[in-house]
Amino acid sequence: MKSNPIQNSKPVPKHGAADRQESAGQLLDLLDGTSDLIQCADASGRLVFVNRTWCDAMDHSAFDARELTYLDVIAPPHRDRFHRILTETIAKGRSTEMYISTALRSGEGVTIQVEGTVRIVLGDGALQALRCIFHDVTNRNQYQSRLRESEHRYRELVDGLHEVVFQTDAQGRLVFLNPAWTTVTGHPVAESLAYPLAEFVHEDDCTSMTDWLGQIAAESECTHNREFRVVCADRSIRWLQVNIRTRLDDRGKVLALCGTLVDFTERHLAEAEIRAQVVAMDEAVDGIARIDADGRYLYFNRAHYRMFGFETESDLLGKDWKIIHDADEAARLEAEIGPKLRQAGNWSGMAKARRLDGAYFPIELTLTLLPDGESVCICRDVSEREVAAAALHESEMRWQLAVDGIRDGVWDYDIPRDVVYMSPRWRSQLPVSEEDLTRAAATWKRVVHPDDWADMNKVLDAHFRRETDVFQCEHRILVIGNVYRWIMVRAQATFDENGAPQRLIGTITDITVRKEAEQRLMENLAREKELSEMRQHFVHMASHELRTPLATVSLGLELVLKNLEKLSTTQIRQNVQCAFNGVGELRAILDDLLLLGKADDGQIKCHPTPTELEPLLQKLCGAAGERDKHRHPFVTTGIVAGERVSIDPLLTSHVLSNLLSNACKYSEAGHPVTIAVTREPDHLTLVVKDEGIGIPEADQPQLFGFFVRAGNVAEIAGTGLGLLVVKYCLQAHGGSIEFQSQVGRGTQFTVTLPLNQSEA
């Protein structure tokens, strides 16, 4: 097998062209086989070699890559930094190899995060070659980002738990507690850390708790959950269940204890209450009895024997349980229920009982089989309940028919349980599941429009404070199809004896059609107001701005007509030129008005044609100079004689004419107006700068609106339409405009026009 020429450390003898070609092929195969992205650039910065991995990742062929420079493939946000590194290295005058992190941009515009070695080879103080070997770390960065997001979600989850999550060090001191610790105990988390958990345990439980934790730390066999009492910050007592899991080091020694604390105080109190109720069982409404393995009564409470019509305990004690049923019902219970009871140990259901006087009535029967063969029987007379259930069923049927038959939605929100019932028709329109209805508050926040959530809660809180009799609110809600509809919610809350809201019951009405009509009405009113203001502005403009050039025309011609024989040829020419200038001003105003009319109808079209900039700017500056009363000098820079660019000359003329006119109009005599031209591969930049009065900051936001004029123009004539014309022309051209201005210092407008565009 031939040795690899790259790996062979011995000198390679000179062979013929075939051997060198084979060696070069092996080298290319080696470079193409690596998973790294390899690129090499020559002294001009143009790529001269890329490997196959580079081509696959960058979506360029090796042939296409030769048309690119090293900066072309660097992602735009990283180009300045990469270029700066190269420039600084060249300035130092010695070749350098460095490891950098950057990003490449593929032919499809995909950003690829990379790290790797960049070798900058210099010769005679200039760049000779640039060799880069990059590793694609996009997936690694994504994994790291997802890991951070996962850790953030875990932290949010732990902080949102109602259970206390804790961790101790090897000495049993608390090193972590989630916010639920403060919620349950009232002790601040920061002040609780570094103390042993036993520090907060009730004194009666402290010793056993300390011993138990010691057993866990010593790795003794013991139960890893326990119940104890904790003393809260307000000195009240809460019952907690602790569940602990040990963390071990490599040698199996305990490093830390992790676990949860579950507050079961309410359950503990409930169990105590149950124990108290057992004592009072004889006073229970339900009948309770104990029956031996032969089916005879051993014990029963007073409610039991009175339920079946017996007057004293002796009338039933020692009797067979079948005495309270007829023969058929007793046989059914023995045949059907007996096997189930023996198999499951308990049974509940309905049965037909018979009183001592022979009357029959339904009972709800619960049987529990004890290990010794005895059984406990609990029975309840449900005669009245059955009647009530039938009436309730009929009422619910009527209610359901009513709910299904109306267009409005009906809902019932159980506030303590955070569960909501919603009528089927509205429920089917919302993007929520049955499970979502069991966490109603979070679900409602998800479907209510974010902009309406705060206002809705403000109205709801006022109702919960009993400041309003009815909760009524209009807001948007997300429905199926990922669209929002307007609804009106009307509801009323019920409160407990402490004034806390318990239920909120109400209706939902779809008012989208009404809201849309209101919106159209408001838009029409606003449009009418805007049109009225525009008419007033137009009348004002027409009566002032059109009158001035008309007066100029009239005066110039009148002087010529009345003094034709007295005036010299030069004087006649001056008066006619004055009238001609007035006509030019009128034509400019009318052109602007006609252009604005086309803009309203969407009829401004862009027709890019190769246009020579120098004569176009000379023409525009000449026209502006003829109308300029102060004779400002025009200074142009950046123009290349004979250069053509693909722009719409008519739209560009409208833009520059208005900007030049404003620059002359609002500048003192003698100050220059500068036009700077910069051409880039894909756009043309035109900068018009003056040293005039500037634009007040308060007027700048609305500068490109209808009839807008700055507050410092005083008596300077103007229509307030010029910059609006500029905006519409640039929109049609696909261009943009920016400006900087300072009062008393002047204004600079920067126009950007795209090049190489098709007609629009």
Side-chain angles (χ1 to χ4, degrees):
M1 183 175 64
K2 294 180 180 181
S3 62
N4 190 322
I6 295 178
Q7 296 176 343
N8 191 354
S9 60
K10 296 181 179 180
V12 180
K14 295 183 178 180
H15 299 294
D19 291 336
R20 289 196 299 273
Q21 184 174 5
E22 181 181 358
S23 298
Q26 291 175 345
L27 177 61
L28 288 176
D29 290 342
L30 178 63
L31 295 179
D32 284 340
T34 181
S35 61
D36 294 335
L37 283 71
I38 301 176
Q39 64 181 47
C40 299
D42 60 14
S44 68
R46 190 167 300 279
L47 297 180
V48 296
F49 173 76
V50 292
N51 70 341
R52 184 178 303 153
T53 304
W54 189 96
C55 294
D56 293 341
M58 297 295 291
D59 198 33
H60 284 298
S61 67
F63 180 80
D64 293 339
R66 294 179 179 274
E67 299 299 321
L68 303 174
T69 69
Y70 69 92
L71 279 181
D72 291 336
V73 298
I74 299 296
H78 298 261
R79 287 177 182 170
D80 290 343
R81 174 174 172 268
F82 198 93
H83 183 67
R84 185 174 64 254
I85 292 173
L86 182 60
T87 303
E88 292 173 352
T89 301
I90 294 174
K92 293 177 181 178
R94 61 177 182 271
S95 299
T96 303
E97 182 173 293
M98 63 187 69
Y99 192 86
I100 67 170
S101 298
T102 186
L104 305 180
R105 184 179 66 178
S106 73
E108 294 295 329
V110 177
T111 299
I112 304 172
Q113 302 292 331
V114 296
E115 293 179 357
T117 303
V118 175
R119 175 69 178 174
I120 303 172
V121 182
L122 304 180
D124 297 329
L127 178 67
Q128 296 299 316
L130 182 65
R131 305 183 184 116
C132 304
I133 301 177
F134 291 131
H135 314 294
D136 186 346
V137 296
T138 305
N139 290 337
R140 188 193 70 188
N141 291 345
Q142 291 175 350
Y143 294 150
Q144 291 175 345
S145 175
R146 291 172 184 169
L147 178 59
R148 288 191 295 270
E149 291 176 1
S150 177
E151 290 174 348
H152 178 68
R153 288 194 297 269
Y154 173 75
R155 174 65 66 176
E156 288 184 338
L157 175 63
V158 170
D159 288 348
L161 288 176
H162 296 297
E163 298 178 357
V164 178
V165 180
F166 72 92
Q167 181 176 338
T168 73
D169 58 17
Q171 287 72 41
R173 294 185 295 264
L174 292 168
V175 295
F176 172 78
L177 288 165
N178 69 335
W181 170 258
T182 302
T183 303
V184 172
T185 69
H187 294 293
V189 170
E191 297 177 9
S192 303
L193 296 178
Y195 286 97
L197 181 60
E199 184 75 19
F200 305 94
V201 175
H202 190 276
E203 58 183 357
D204 293 343
D205 299 337
C206 189
T207 301
S208 61
M209 184 69 173
T210 302
D211 294 342
W212 181 64
L213 292 175
Q215 291 172 352
I216 295 176
E219 300 181 295
S220 300
E221 291 188 4
C222 59
T223 306
H224 281 198
N225 57 75
R226 195 180 188 90
E227 297 176 353
F228 66 96
R229 289 166 289 180
V230 67
V231 181
C232 300
D234 60 0
R235 310 308 300 171
S236 62
I237 305 298
R238 304 293 295 179
W239 280 89
L240 303 182
Q241 182 184 49
V242 59
N243 301 282
I244 290 183
R245 180 180 179 182
T246 57
R247 287 182 55 194
L248 307 178
D249 60 15
D250 295 338
R251 296 173 298 174
K253 298 297 183 181
V254 175
L255 284 177
L257 300 179
C258 308
T260 60
L261 301 174
V262 181
D263 185 355
F264 71 102
T265 304
E266 283 70 23
R267 190 194 77 191
H268 178 80
L269 296 175
E271 290 173 349
E273 180 65 22
I274 290 173
R275 289 191 294 270
Q277 290 176 358
V278 171
V279 177
M281 187 169 55
D282 277 343
E283 301 299 325
V285 175
D286 292 342
I288 303 172
R290 183 179 173 191
I291 302 172
D292 65 16
D294 296 327
R296 299 186 179 277
Y297 282 105
L298 296 175
Y299 164 80
F300 40 80
N301 66 349
R302 182 163 46 192
H304 188 83
Y305 68 81
R306 287 184 175 179
M307 184 185 304
F308 299 103
F310 296 96
E311 295 183 0
T312 63
E313 295 180 14
S314 59
D315 294 337
L316 193 56
L317 190 61
K319 302 291 180 62
D320 193 289
W321 62 269
K322 299 175 185 177
I323 194 175
I324 61 173
H325 304 282
D326 63 20
D328 292 339
E329 182 67 3
R332 184 187 73 85
L333 293 174
E334 199 167 40
E336 296 180 9
I337 308 307
K340 296 179 182 178
L341 180 61
R342 288 188 291 272
Q343 180 180 2
N346 57 74
W347 177 86
S348 295
M350 298 298 296
K352 182 175 68 172
R354 183 181 62 181
R355 290 191 176 90
L356 189 59
D357 61 5
Y360 291 95
F361 64 99
I363 61 171
E364 188 176 71
L365 187 61
T366 300
L367 301 174
T368 302
L369 185 63
L370 302 178
D372 58 2
E374 295 180 357
S375 59
V376 175
C377 168
I378 301 176
C379 53
R380 174 180 297 178
D381 184 348
V382 294
S383 302
E384 295 181 358
R385 192 185 74 181
E386 290 292 304
V387 174
L392 177 61
H393 178 71
E394 184 178 355
S395 176
E396 288 178 344
M397 289 293 293
R398 289 197 297 268
W399 161 259
Q400 194 62 49
L401 289 172
V403 167
D404 292 342
I406 61 175
R407 297 182 61 185
D408 291 352
V410 180
W411 54 278
D412 179 2
Y413 178 33
D414 187 330
I415 299 173
R417 294 173 55 221
D418 195 27
V419 174
V420 66
Y421 162 79
M422 188 170 290
S423 56
R425 177 173 294 180
W426 261 95
R427 160 69 182 82
S428 64
Q429 298 184 44
L430 302 181
V432 297
S433 64
E434 290 296 334
E435 184 179 354
D436 291 333
L437 300 180
T438 63
R439 44 177 181 268
T443 299
W444 201 246
K445 185 174 183 179
R446 177 167 60 84
V447 299
V448 171
H449 195 286
D451 295 343
D452 301 339
W453 178 253
D455 292 339
M456 186 203 73
N457 272 288
K458 184 178 179 180
V459 178
L460 182 60
D461 289 342
H463 181 60
F464 283 164
R465 293 193 301 269
R466 299 192 176 185
E467 296 175 5
T468 59
D469 294 332
V470 176
F471 164 60
Q472 180 169 324
C473 181
E474 296 180 358
H475 61 80
R476 288 160 290 181
I477 188 173
L478 185 68
V479 299
I480 291 176
N482 201 31
V483 296
Y484 284 95
R485 296 191 66 82
W486 278 96
I487 63 171
M488 179 175 69
V489 179
R490 288 177 56 87
Q492 193 167 20
T494 61
F495 302 85
D496 62 13
E497 63 276 6
N498 297 319
Q502 298 298 301
R503 300 181 80 89
L504 193 63
I505 305 172
T507 60
I508 299 175
T509 304
D510 189 334
I511 58 171
T512 304
V513 175
R514 192 198 80 192
K515 279 290 185 179
E516 290 174 348
E518 291 176 355
Q519 180 65 25
R520 288 194 297 271
L521 178 61
M522 295 301 295
E523 291 174 355
N524 290 338
L525 291 175
R527 181 62 178 169
E528 287 296 327
K529 182 179 179 181
E530 181 182 358
L531 291 174
S532 176
E533 293 176 351
M534 289 175 59
R535 283 194 294 269
Q536 293 177 5
H537 280 295
F538 181 79
V539 171
H540 178 77
M541 182 272 293
S543 63
H544 290 78
E545 304 307 323
L546 296 179
R547 183 182 300 171
T548 301
L550 282 174
T552 301
V553 173
S554 177
L555 179 61
L557 296 178
E558 184 179 357
L559 286 173
V560 171
L561 291 175
K562 288 184 177 181
N563 302 282
L564 184 61
E565 298 178 354
K566 300 178 181 180
L567 296 175
S568 65
T569 302
T570 300
Q571 290 174 324
I572 293 174
R573 182 179 292 107
Q574 289 175 344
N575 283 285
V576 172
Q577 182 63 46
C578 181
F580 184 76
N581 290 343
V583 172
E585 292 181 18
L586 282 173
R587 182 184 297 112
I589 294 173
L590 292 175
D591 286 345
D592 285 347
L593 292 174
L594 290 173
L595 189 67
L596 292 176
K598 290 182 178 180
D600 285 340
D601 296 335
Q603 296 181 358
I604 300 181
K605 303 296 182 181
C606 178
H607 303 286
T609 57
T611 303
E612 192 172 347
L613 284 177
E614 185 176 21
L616 176 64
L617 290 178
Q618 289 177 350
K619 176 183 176 182
L620 294 175
C621 290
E626 291 177 357
R627 297 192 299 270
D628 181 14
K629 299 177 181 179
H630 302 296
R631 300 300 182 212
H632 295 84
F634 293 94
V635 179
T636 58
T637 63
I639 300 176
V640 178
E643 182 180 31
R644 291 176 175 270
V645 292
S646 179
I647 59 174
D648 186 313
L650 180 59
L651 295 179
T652 306
S653 297
H654 277 297
V655 171
L656 291 178
S657 294
N658 279 285
L659 294 180
L660 292 173
S661 175
N662 286 347
C664 295
K665 189 186 303 181
Y666 301 118
S667 300
E668 295 182 0
H671 289 272
V673 175
T674 303
I675 306 100
V677 180
T678 304
R679 178 174 180 178
E680 300 292 342
D682 59 348
H683 67 273
L684 178 70
T685 302
L686 303 169
V687 179
V688 178
K689 182 178 181 180
D690 64 58
E691 299 176 0
I693 62 176
I695 304 167
E697 187 174 351
D699 296 323
Q700 293 181 13
Q702 62 270 17
L703 194 60
F704 293 92
F706 276 97
F707 304 109
V708 175
R709 306 197 70 208
N712 60 342
V713 299
E715 299 299 324
I716 301 174
T719 64
L721 297 174
L723 290 179
L724 182 63
V725 170
V726 170
K727 182 180 78 170
Y728 283 145
C729 289
L730 289 176
Q731 286 177 350
H733 209 304
S736 62
I737 186 169
E738 299 177 349
F739 70 93
Q740 298 87 38
S741 183
Q742 187 175 353
V743 174
R745 300 291 296 274
T747 302
Q748 174 178 304
F749 284 91
T750 301
V751 174
T752 303
L753 296 175
L755 300 178
N756 302 321
Q757 61 177 352
S758 59
E759 291 195 6

